[in-house]
Structures are given as structure tokens and as C-alpha cells.
Amino acid sequence: MRILVVEDEEKVAGEIVRALTAAGHAVERARDGDEAWFQGDTEDFDLVVLDLGLPKLDGVEVLKRWRANSRTMPVLILTARDAWSEKVDAIDAGADDYLVKPFRMEELMARVRALLRRLTKHATAVLTIGDVTLDTRASRVIQGGVPVGLSPMEYRLLHYLMHHEGRAVPQTELTEHIYTQYSERESNAIEVTVARLRRKLGPEFIKTRRGFGYYSGVLSESKP
Ligand code: CA
């Protein structure tokens, strides 16, 4: 999943970015409110971690502007202890969940997983299609009881398709959600990654919708 981390404190930001990257997400970072507002308004993210105390534009204002502009991605806010009125403002402005600083990274990761699941109504942290199980807590894939070794890109792509089970995902959307701004994007990178996944999981696990994109599971026409 593609996640934006908005945090001006270098140490905290670095820890969050590392933990999310290790969990298989494509992570971007913004350091102040202006930058955050612009990135969240012009790019698609699956989730945002938003600190409220920011230079230039405070987090509540950033969130209000996103929501006013119909940006509906889930937002997890970070607040200082005792800042209860700020927390209330942020929830009223459209925050989906909050964490009070200092927090345990495990708790942040669990809240991120829960918010991502809510997007597609998955009930648990484990995604299963056929004989393939993807555990989002451990970033691990098991097929027929046997662990499958995947590169970070292969994991991200598989996670995105399993998360959106039954929906044909266009190549452009895959590219946007599994690469960061700074990673190298070769024009056929998605095709190459799909081919590798098919070699590892069998040719039928990821299916092609010709001229459109890829999907896993049974294609559901009702999903846009
Ligand atoms: Ca701050």
C-alpha cells in the first residue's frame, strides 16, 4: 500500500518510515503542513499518518482542506499528550483514528493494518485466496502450507491485488501504489513482477484482464 507520513520530527518520522517500509509499504514523507497538503491533494495514497503539530500549516488545517476537496483516504493522526481539544477537532475534521505520543510502534502498525482492512472490509490481518495466505502482520506469504520467498516489490504487488480481491486493477494504479516517488520505474516493471509472481505461485493465481490490468480471485463486475 502507498502511505504518506507527515511528521516534522526527524527521529519519529524515521522510525515510522522504517517500520512501514519493513511491513511492505511504499512510503512517502512530508515535513511540513504545506508539503503535506500538496502531496495529499495531488497524489493517491491508501493511508496517511498525520502529526498535528507541524510547521507552516497545522495538521488539523491540512486535514480540513483535504476533506473539503473530497480526499477520502484514511487518516491516522498523532497528537501530543493532553491535547484533547486538538484531538476532538481533528476527529471532527475527518480523522479516522488517533494515537497519543509517545506510542509503541507495534500499536501504530496495528492501527494502520486495521484502517487498511476497513477500506475493503477485510475482517482480519490475514488475506486468503485459494491456497495462498498473506499475513499482513508478518509480511509473509504461504502457499499450501509452504512459505513463499518474495522480493519487496513482489510482496507489495501481491498484497495490493489480494487486498483488492476480485477487482481488475489497472497497471497505472499498480505503479502508483507500489512504487515511491523516488524508486526506479521501468516501463515494463509491473509485467516483469507479475511474471515472477506467476512463476512462484503458479500461472493462474494472478490473472490478466486484457488491455486493462490484473486481478486475483474471481473477477467481480460490481467492483469498479
Ligand atoms: Ca510535530
Side-chain angles (χ1 to χ4, degrees):
M1 304 289 127
R2 188 153 186 259
I3 298 179
L4 176 64
V5 174
V6 186
E7 170 61 83
D8 54 317
E9 288 169 60
E10 289 301 324
K11 186 168 174 287
V12 181
E15 285 167 5
I16 298 173
V17 169
R18 270 194 299 281
L20 289 170
T21 305
H25 299 292
V27 186
E28 307 279 349
R29 180 174 169 212
R31 289 171 171 79
D32 63 54
D34 275 350
E35 207 182 308
W37 145 245
F38 180 75
Q39 274 184 261
D41 199 53
T42 54
E43 294 174 44
D44 275 332
F45 291 96
D46 299 296
L47 182 136
V48 178
V49 177
L50 176 67
D51 180 38
L52 291 186
L54 294 171
K56 295 189 183 173
L57 193 63
D58 73 60
V60 175
E61 191 53 38
V62 171
L63 183 56
K64 280 183 185 159
R65 293 190 188 184
W66 282 338
R67 295 313 194 214
N69 223 5
S70 304
R71 306 301 287 179
T72 57
M73 65 285 193
V75 174
L76 169 63
I77 55 166
L78 308 177
T79 78
R81 194 191 299 274
D82 300 329
W84 67 267
S85 65
E86 192 185 58
K87 192 161 70 188
V88 170
D89 284 350
I91 291 169
D92 283 341
D96 298 274
D97 198 0
Y98 68 89
L99 261 179
V100 175
K101 288 176 166 179
F103 53 84
R104 300 277 309 185
M105 199 53 69
E106 290 86 347
E107 184 175 1
L108 181 132
M109 298 304 289
R111 287 177 188 270
V112 164
R113 286 193 295 270
L115 285 173
L116 290 174
R117 286 203 299 273
R118 223 180 281 164
L119 274 183
T120 46
K121 317 243 178 344
H122 290 293
T124 72
V126 177
L127 308 177
T128 302
I129 298 177
D131 65 348
V132 176
T133 298
L134 185 146
D135 186 340
T136 60
R137 292 164 306 190
S139 309
R140 200 171 49 190
V141 174
I142 290 174
Q143 184 175 36
V146 181
V148 183
L150 298 180
S151 73
M153 281 303 155
E154 290 163 4
Y155 177 84
R156 284 182 195 175
L157 197 149
L158 184 67
H159 183 194
Y160 199 81
L161 289 181
M162 288 181 73
H163 189 77
H164 294 280
E165 177 179 357
R167 179 166 79 86
V169 181
Q171 284 224 20
T172 48
E173 182 180 333
L174 281 172
T175 305
E176 261 174 37
H177 287 259
I178 72 174
Y179 289 98
T180 61
Q181 231 176 320
Y182 308 103
S183 51
E184 285 182 35
R185 299 179 183 182
E186 287 172 35
S187 59
N188 64 343
I190 298 290
E191 287 159 47
V192 170
T193 308
V194 167
R196 288 202 188 113
L197 281 167
R198 283 176 173 155
R199 276 201 295 277
K200 292 181 179 180
L201 299 171
E204 290 301 309
F205 191 75
I206 294 174
K207 301 176 194 76
T208 303
R209 186 166 170 197
R210 212 156 280 294
F212 189 78
Y214 300 100
Y215 64 100
S216 65
V218 178
L219 196 58
S220 153
E221 290 303 332
S222 67
K223 290 186 183 172

